[in-house]
Amino acid sequence: MDFDIPLLPGSPRRLSPRAVVRGDRGPKHEQQYLKVPGPRAQGLRGTSTRESGQPSGGGSSHRCSVINNYLDASEQVSSEARLSRMHFHDNQRKVDYVLAYHYRKRGAHPGHGSPGHALAVISNGETGKDPRAGAPGDIDLGPLDALEEERKEQREEFEHNLMEAGLELEKDLESKSQGFVFVRIHAPWQVLAREAEFLKIKVPTKKMYEIKSEGSIAKTFNKVLQKLSSPLKPRVPEHTHSRMKNLSYPFSREKMYLYNIQDKDTFFDNATRSRIVHEILKRTTCSRANNTMGINSLIANNVYEAAYPLHDGEYDSPGDDMNDRKLLYQEWARYGVFYKFQPIDLIRKYFGEKIGLYFAWLGLYTSFLIPSSVIGVIVFLYGCATIEEDIPSKEMCDQQNAFTMCPLCDKSCDYWNLSSACGTARASHLFDNPATVFFSIFMALWATMFLENWKRLQMRLGYFWDLTGIDEEEEHSRPEYETKVREKMLKESDKSVVQKLGTSTTEGEDEDDDDKLTWRDRFPGYLMNFASILFMIALTFSIVFGVIVYRITTAAALSLNKATRSNVRVTVTATAVIINLVVILILDEIYGAVAKWLTKIEVPKTEQTFEERLILKAFLLKFVNAYSPIFYVAFFKGRFVGRPGSYVYVFDGYRMEECAPGGCLMELCVQLSIIMLGKQLIQNNIFEIGVPKLKKLFRKLKDETEPGETDSAHSKHPEQWDLDYSLEPYTGLTPEYMEMIIQFGFVTLFVASFPLAPVFALLNNVIEVRLDAKKFVTELRRPDAVRTKDIGIWFDILSGIGKFSVISNAFVIAVTSDFIPRLVYQYSYSHNGTLHGFVNHTLSFFNVSQLKAGTQPENSQFDQEVQFCRFKDYREPPWAPNPYEFSKQYWSVLSARLAFVIIFQNLVMFLSVLVDWMIPDIPTDISDQIKREKSLFVDFFLKEEHEKLRLMEEHPRRSPGTGRRSRSSPTASPAPSGRSQLGSSVSSGSQHTNV
């Protein structure tokens, strides 16, 4: 019996005109088939034949599809028959992946309509016209036409190679002068089984076991906790809290009897199916495209526009029909469910393990911010409650003390009373009090406990998600790496070596030294990276210095005016911080692009290496950019001012700025809070919400204004692949992680100066979780499911920040705050063991007659004649034998500061190590379950082997016409329909599948 099937695209055999059955010009659903005798593949389901030129149904509103030899030629395609937009037009085969490309017919230029000829795709994928339309040779090939023909041939060969790998393809006719074509890909059961075995994908077996319960106290506590938290749980199926679990085992076609395969179409979920297809796409080669390997290379060369798996339908579709995407939107990706826990299992099922781990990490980090926020608020309230009892601020506000301070600038600044800085001193006490020291220790231990709990949660998720024991997946070379290798070989060798490249790339990764990039080839890129990163860091420091100059000059200018003289410090501080914030936001975007460019010129071989190097560069540049102004205020401002009569000048007449009378801690708090809050609000509201909406609007306007033909019926009822193509492409998790890592630095590095940082981080993250969720569910194309065991290099960065925060907080307390000077005064110099007299102790005397000529205040309007003015420092008085030298109090305070740094750092590090040791990385119940699972699987495996042997022994004794038919080989071919036709028998209480 004969079948009408299309010949494989890209086949070297070309059809003669006699072999091609051409369709009439009228119908839009024409297709050309090569008639061959008998079934050529197991997937054929049709048994009747029909000439392709005949209409496929009077009521058809869809074009017939150009697919490979799995097409059932007898099927009728109509709009009424379409039950799902997730399947081929036969409503049976699921679309697992989509390739999109833009085509332009020969001689068709933008702005010109279609010539109106009937077009059909013949067996080798070429576009044939009606014979009456004239020969193709009548049209001269322009440069654009030649490029389009070359891309077309590459697509034909690539699609042919995909079908050679067993995939099934479907695509519409190129019936317009130009437009988009979507190649739908379906992986049949044979391909899924083969690739699942190759990728060692763990799948559930028939054996289920009950997870061992905890002790009675823990069990009771968990029950109470589950009951109390039930209103906070999303209404989705959960797996990690289930009492039953399937044993999992890497898929093997030789051990099919281990798995409970009820339906082959649903045995692998959509994420796994698309992952398998993506692996095939990544390793399929194309010789016409210089032996490039994988779909990424073809996308980079504009052969295809995009490649993506489909979403599971629409998230806002009316009706009660439910899919995973709609369920995620309703229970996770809306701001109205911000109070609920995240459905981590469903996120992992839909998006894959990599994205699932990100949201699990973000959820744990957000929940850990709750106790730190509570403690931070308590510390802040303690400062508010004790502000009236703070003796130093009382002394500063007491006008009877009459501390006459030296001028803050030359000429234009006058003498001033210390009591005028009363407000700043009182505000400083809110954050500079003894409670902040203990809060810093708490936050250092908090960071350690957070990382340890994340390791435990990671292991728990790995157990329930069957990630334990998985191997690292083989990484394919990036297109840029292949191009560089090819260019190198073209320069160094002749064409025979180029041919060798094609062979070695096809056969495997065992390349010769000539076939890969050495350090000599990469040296220019490394040199450029080193020089560019140094330049960017120097640029950041230069901008910080520019803001310093702005503060100095603005303060001097405002001091000339009597009306603005009283608010100089507030005005300068506020405007400088806003300038810093704007510069940080701009440089953040620039540094992200620069880091990507620098990583590209390094030419890393694999995507994982590329991602790790990109993360390190971007983090280094953004870390310096975000924290350099804060580091300046915390550790450098006011340290190099000099003293009256011997100031340090930046420019002629402009001397270095100094801290406020209450210290620099209050200014550090203002700087940190404005940068942190501004960065979060602007990045969340403008960059993460506004920019994607603007991109979507721009793309929509571009599509509407683009010249070409439109299909009104198709635009009213778009397919799922059309809807997904209009979404933003997924670009990775690096921006999401980077934003949270920088925030983690704000929370931990300078928490001694801003105890409310965890509170604002918590409020931001509650919105951030839902913002990211909405973006992934509604605005991005579905990402490829990536299987991974951990969050990778981000954990090392977090651990590094946690350790560095101990040092930074030690120096903030010791150097920036007045905590150490107060302790030294109270226990070494105070007459009654209190802080009475502390302010006078910290102020030195200066004889105003020793001011340099030209620096004295002009037209001084101070109430009294000044002989001595005061300045904040520990120096000898003018009447001492060594006037203005550092006093012994200075050296006492300095040694106490250094001793505090050493003691604080070692104490916190010791406590962190102790916490790390006390909290095991693997939860005890999980390690017990893993051991138990291994022993259970051995018993289950032996039991199934015995059952298999028993069935094989009984098979010859059965009569052919009685009983259920059992195949003798576990690797027998499945039914053509792709659904399981396997029987079952029950033995020893376990269900078995006959194979």
Side-chain angles (χ1 to χ4, degrees):
M1 185 169 291
D2 294 345
F3 293 92
D4 289 338
I5 60 174
L7 197 65
L8 295 177
S11 171
R13 175 184 176 186
R14 301 179 66 87
L15 294 180
S16 64
R18 296 179 182 177
V20 177
V21 185
R22 297 187 181 274
D24 294 335
R25 296 176 59 182
K28 292 182 180 180
H29 41 261
E30 45 203 343
Q31 224 189 87
Q32 298 184 350
Y33 302 93
L34 175 65
K35 184 166 288 189
V36 294
R40 289 184 52 184
Q42 258 184 337
L44 287 171
R45 295 184 293 277
T47 55
S48 63
T49 62
R50 183 184 65 204
E51 296 298 330
S52 63
Q54 296 174 350
S56 48
S60 175
S61 64
H62 289 271
R63 298 178 182 87
C64 228
S65 302
V66 180
I67 71 174
N68 64 350
N69 57 351
Y70 289 86
L71 175 67
D72 185 353
S74 66
E75 289 179 321
Q76 293 188 1
V77 180
S78 65
S79 58
E80 290 82 2
R82 293 305 309 282
L83 300 176
S84 170
R85 294 185 297 178
M86 301 288 299
H87 292 75
F88 280 9
H89 281 81
D90 59 7
N91 284 326
Q92 293 183 8
R93 284 165 291 173
K94 187 180 294 183
V95 177
D96 297 316
Y97 219 88
V98 175
L99 306 180
Y101 66 87
H102 182 270
Y103 71 89
R104 188 178 59 83
K105 294 290 182 64
R106 182 181 300 175
H109 297 282
H112 296 277
S114 172
H117 300 297
L119 299 169
V121 178
I122 61 177
S123 63
N124 60 357
E126 293 181 356
T127 303
K129 289 196 291 183
D130 193 286
R132 293 169 288 182
D138 297 339
I139 301 175
D140 295 330
L141 287 179
L144 291 176
D145 294 322
L147 181 61
E148 183 63 30
E149 286 293 322
E150 182 182 356
R151 290 174 180 170
K152 183 178 179 182
E153 291 175 357
Q154 292 174 10
R155 286 194 294 267
E156 290 169 3
E157 183 196 352
F158 186 71
E159 290 165 15
H160 164 74
N161 292 339
L162 291 179
M163 289 188 287
E164 286 289 325
L167 297 177
E168 300 174 15
L169 310 184
E170 177 189 68
K171 64 178 178 179
D172 298 325
L173 287 174
E174 299 177 1
S175 58
K176 304 175 187 177
S177 59
Q178 59 179 329
F180 276 97
V181 170
F182 297 95
V183 181
R184 281 88 70 184
I185 303 176
H186 168 75
W189 170 257
Q190 296 94 327
V191 176
L192 293 173
R194 181 192 72 210
E195 297 297 322
E197 183 174 1
F198 175 70
L199 295 173
K200 299 178 181 177
I201 295 176
K202 282 190 172 183
V203 293
T205 62
K206 291 182 289 186
K207 175 67 174 176
M208 293 189 71
Y209 69 97
E210 185 178 2
I211 298 175
K212 188 179 178 182
S213 302
E214 305 93 342
S216 57
I217 299 177
K219 189 176 181 180
T220 308
F221 178 75
N222 279 339
K223 281 184 178 180
V224 173
L225 191 63
Q226 295 286 335
K227 191 173 182 180
L228 291 176
S229 61
S230 57
L232 305 178
K233 290 183 179 179
R235 296 189 299 270
V236 298
E238 288 284 341
H239 301 291
T240 52
H241 299 294
S242 175
R243 301 307 309 161
M244 302 298 293
K245 185 180 183 296
N246 283 92
L247 279 175
S248 296
Y249 186 73
F251 188 84
S252 172
R253 288 173 291 179
E254 296 181 355
K255 297 181 175 62
M256 297 280 283
Y257 53 88
L258 297 177
Y259 317 111
N260 191 12
I261 305 176
Q262 300 292 338
D263 187 350
K264 290 183 178 179
D265 285 347
T266 58
F267 182 70
F268 295 106
D269 58 28
N270 291 346
T272 306
R273 294 175 69 100
S274 62
R275 176 187 165 214
I276 288 174
V277 175
H278 187 236
E279 286 295 326
I280 298 175
L281 290 172
K282 284 198 298 185
R283 70 167 186 259
T284 303
T285 57
C286 181
S287 60
R288 290 180 184 270
N290 297 322
N291 289 305
T292 53
M293 176 180 284
I295 185 63
N296 294 334
S297 302
L298 296 177
I299 291 176
N301 295 328
N302 296 317
V303 178
Y304 289 97
E305 296 281 338
Y308 52 91
L310 290 181
H311 277 293
D312 290 356
E314 296 185 56
Y315 65 89
D316 56 354
S317 59
D320 296 332
D321 56 318
M322 188 61 67
N323 56 61
D324 286 346
R325 187 188 188 194
K326 191 173 181 179
L327 189 59
L328 281 172
Y329 177 73
Q330 292 181 354
E331 295 294 325
W332 178 54
R334 294 187 300 115
Y335 294 113
V337 293
F338 72 93
Y339 60 91
K340 289 188 176 183
F341 296 134
Q342 297 186 87
I344 294 298
D345 291 322
L346 187 59
I347 297 169
R348 170 254 180 178
K349 177 188 172 186
Y350 193 80
F351 293 111
E353 284 77 10
K354 187 171 185 178
I355 294 176
L357 284 175
Y358 163 70
F359 281 105
W361 174 86
L362 181 58
L364 182 71
Y365 171 50
T366 304
S367 62
F368 256 74
L369 284 172
I370 296 175
S372 60
S373 300
V374 172
I375 303 298
V377 170
I378 292 174
V379 170
F380 178 74
L381 293 177
Y382 171 80
C384 294
T386 58
I387 192 170
E388 297 297 334
E389 302 172 6
D390 184 45
I391 297 174
S393 60
K394 277 184 177 181
E395 290 182 349
M396 287 183 65
C397 296
D398 189 2
Q399 296 184 358
Q400 295 180 358
N401 287 329
F403 295 113
T404 304
M405 306 299 293
C406 297
L408 296 175
C409 62
D410 294 346
K411 293 185 180 180
S412 57
C413 295
D414 202 352
Y415 303 105
W416 56 286
N417 280 322
L418 185 61
S419 58
S420 62
C422 174
T424 308
R426 291 172 66 86
S428 296
H429 178 72
L430 298 177
F431 305 102
D432 188 4
N433 57 69
T436 57
V437 179
F438 299 101
F439 186 56
S440 300
I441 298 175
F442 168 78
M443 287 303 295
L445 299 179
W446 172 89
T448 304
M449 291 184 67
F450 164 62
L451 294 177
E452 289 303 311
N453 275 273
W454 167 245
K455 286 193 281 188
R456 290 169 62 83
L457 177 60
Q458 196 169 249
M459 286 301 302
R460 188 175 294 276
L461 292 176
Y463 165 70
F464 283 103
W465 293 353
D466 298 319
L467 300 177
T468 54
I470 66 167
D471 299 326
E472 292 293 333
E473 294 180 2
E474 180 186 0
E475 287 276 346
H476 301 286
S477 300
R478 297 177 63 250
E480 294 82 358
Y481 180 84
E482 292 180 355
T483 305
K484 280 290 182 183
V485 172
R486 194 173 300 110
E487 290 175 358
K488 174 189 175 183
M489 297 178 68
L490 284 172
K491 289 178 182 178
E492 296 180 354
S493 215
D494 54 8
K495 292 182 179 180
S496 61
V497 181
V498 179
Q499 189 66 29
K500 175 186 174 185
L501 173 63
T503 342
S504 64
T505 319
T506 312
E507 290 177 355
E509 296 296 328
D510 45 337
E511 302 171 326
D512 297 331
D513 289 339
D514 296 335
D515 299 347
K516 59 185 179 182
L517 299 181
T518 62
W519 69 270
R520 292 186 181 86
D521 303 315
R522 300 176 188 270
F523 182 74
Y526 290 151
L527 189 62
M528 177 63 74
N529 269 262
F530 182 72
S532 300
I533 289 174
L534 283 183
F535 172 76
M536 293 298 167
I537 293 175
L539 175 65
T540 305
F541 290 160
S542 302
I543 292 174
V544 173
F545 181 73
V547 175
I548 295 171
V549 172
Y550 161 80
R551 294 160 65 113
I552 295 171
T553 53
T554 307
L558 292 176
S559 298
L560 296 173
N561 192 344
K562 293 181 180 179
T564 58
R565 189 175 297 172
S566 58
N567 298 320
V568 168
R569 195 176 294 277
V570 176
T571 306
V572 170
T573 301
T575 54
V577 172
I578 293 172
I579 291 173
N580 274 326
L581 174 62
V582 173
V583 169
I584 286 171
L585 292 174
I586 295 173
L587 288 183
D588 252 2
E589 300 301 312
I590 296 175
Y591 286 169
V594 168
K596 193 170 185 179
W597 174 72
L598 291 176
T599 311
K600 283 182 179 178
I601 64 176
E602 268 191 61
V603 199
K605 184 174 181 180
T606 63
E607 286 295 338
Q608 183 178 355
T609 311
F610 179 88
E611 186 180 10
E612 288 179 354
R613 295 184 182 182
L614 172 62
I615 288 169
L616 284 176
K617 291 183 185 64
F619 173 73
L620 175 63
L621 293 175
K622 292 189 177 187
F623 182 90
V624 173
N625 179 42
Y627 297 119
S628 53
I630 301 171
F631 270 95
Y632 163 72
V633 174
F635 304 124
F636 298 100
K637 184 179 180 181
R639 312 294 167 198
F640 311 102
V641 178
R643 60 170 180 83
S646 181
Y647 283 114
V648 177
Y649 289 88
V650 182
F651 301 111
D652 186 26
Y654 297 100
R655 65 194 195 207
M656 285 293 292
E657 58 179 347
E658 51 188 305
C659 293
C664 279
L665 195 70
M666 187 60 201
E667 188 174 342
L668 175 62
C669 173
V670 172
Q671 183 108 356
L672 184 66
S673 58
I674 292 180
I675 290 178
M676 179 182 176
L677 296 177
K679 202 170 184 298
Q680 290 180 350
L681 292 174
I682 294 176
Q683 280 189 337
N684 283 355
N685 295 322
I686 296 180
F687 294 163
E688 290 199 34
I689 298 176
V691 172
K693 289 187 181 298
L694 289 175
K695 284 183 179 180
K696 190 175 181 180
L697 179 64
F698 177 75
R699 191 167 54 250
K700 185 178 179 181
L701 293 174
K702 185 181 177 183
D703 292 341
E704 290 176 354
T705 56
E706 225 174 36
E709 305 156 1
T710 58
D711 189 343
S712 58
H714 181 71
S715 61
K716 288 181 182 177
H717 304 284
E719 301 286 358
Q720 188 63 45
W721 41 86
D722 293 303
L723 296 173
D724 287 3
Y725 181 77
S726 65
L727 300 175
E728 280 289 312
Y730 169 71
T731 56
L733 288 170
T734 301
E736 277 71 27
Y737 270 117
M738 189 66 70
E739 182 184 350
M740 291 295 103
I741 296 296
I742 296 296
Q743 185 203 82
F744 183 78
F746 281 124
V747 169
T748 56
L749 289 176
F750 300 98
V751 74
S753 63
F754 189 40
L756 295 179
V759 179
F760 293 109
L762 174 63
L763 296 176
N764 173 80
N765 286 8
V766 170
I767 301 173
E768 180 72 23
V769 170
R770 307 302 160 180
L771 181 67
D772 285 346
K774 188 175 182 182
K775 181 169 65 174
F776 274 89
V777 173
T778 66
E779 298 175 4
L780 294 181
R781 293 174 192 160
R782 188 172 185 171
D784 294 302
V786 179
R787 202 165 173 83
T788 182
K789 294 185 290 186
D790 49 42
I791 60 174
I793 196 173
W794 295 111
F795 183 84
D796 299 326
I797 294 175
L798 283 167
S799 181
I801 291 178
K803 291 179 172 59
F804 185 62
S805 68
V806 177
I807 303 172
S808 66
N809 280 297
F811 276 98
V812 166
I813 296 170
V815 177
T816 313
S817 76
D818 281 338
F819 178 73
I820 298 300
R822 290 184 184 190
L823 283 181
V824 171
Y825 174 79
Q826 185 173 359
Y827 294 105
S828 299
Y829 297 99
S830 176
H831 299 292
N832 52 8
T834 63
L835 288 175
H836 287 287
F838 171 73
V839 174
N840 184 52
H841 178 76
T842 58
L843 298 177
S844 300
F845 288 89
F846 180 76
N847 191 341
V848 297
S849 62
Q850 297 177 358
L851 287 171
K852 289 184 178 179
T855 62
Q856 299 93 340
E858 294 179 347
N859 303 320
S860 176
Q861 297 179 359
F862 202 65
D863 296 339
Q864 55 191 10
E865 185 179 350
V866 178
Q867 183 180 3
F868 295 99
C869 65
R870 310 292 295 270
F871 64 99
K872 191 172 182 180
D873 206 347
Y874 292 102
R875 291 183 180 266
E876 297 288 346
W879 53 83
N882 300 312
Y884 309 126
E885 293 291 331
F886 287 120
S887 62
K888 69 177 179 180
Q889 288 92 335
Y890 170 83
W891 299 109
S892 301
V893 171
L894 180 62
S895 59
R897 282 173 167 167
L898 294 177
F900 174 82
V901 169
I902 295 171
I903 294 172
F904 181 89
Q905 178 182 342
N906 284 279
L907 174 64
V908 175
M909 287 292 186
F910 170 75
L911 293 176
S912 301
V913 172
L914 184 64
V915 170
D916 189 1
W917 175 75
M918 291 176 64
I919 303 176
D921 293 347
I922 305 177
T924 309
D925 59 327
I926 295 299
S927 59
D928 292 341
Q929 295 294 344
I930 292 173
K931 294 174 185 176
R932 182 170 172 241
E933 195 174 82
K934 289 179 180 178
S935 62
L936 283 173
F937 184 79
V938 171
D939 296 339
F940 168 68
F941 185 78
L942 293 175
K943 188 177 180 181
E944 291 295 321
E945 282 288 326
H946 290 314
E947 181 64 19
K948 174 190 170 186
L949 293 175
R950 186 183 67 80
L951 291 174
M952 292 176 66
E953 289 172 359
E954 289 180 358
H955 178 69
R957 297 197 293 267
R958 287 187 182 181
S959 60
T962 61
R964 290 184 177 174
R965 180 171 170 264
S966 173
R967 293 186 179 92
S968 58
S969 171
T971 57
S973 300
S977 66
R979 298 188 182 273
S980 176
Q981 304 292 333
L982 305 177
S984 63
S985 64
V986 180
S987 173
S988 304
S990 174
Q991 185 173 353
H992 303 276
T993 304
N994 288 344
V995 257

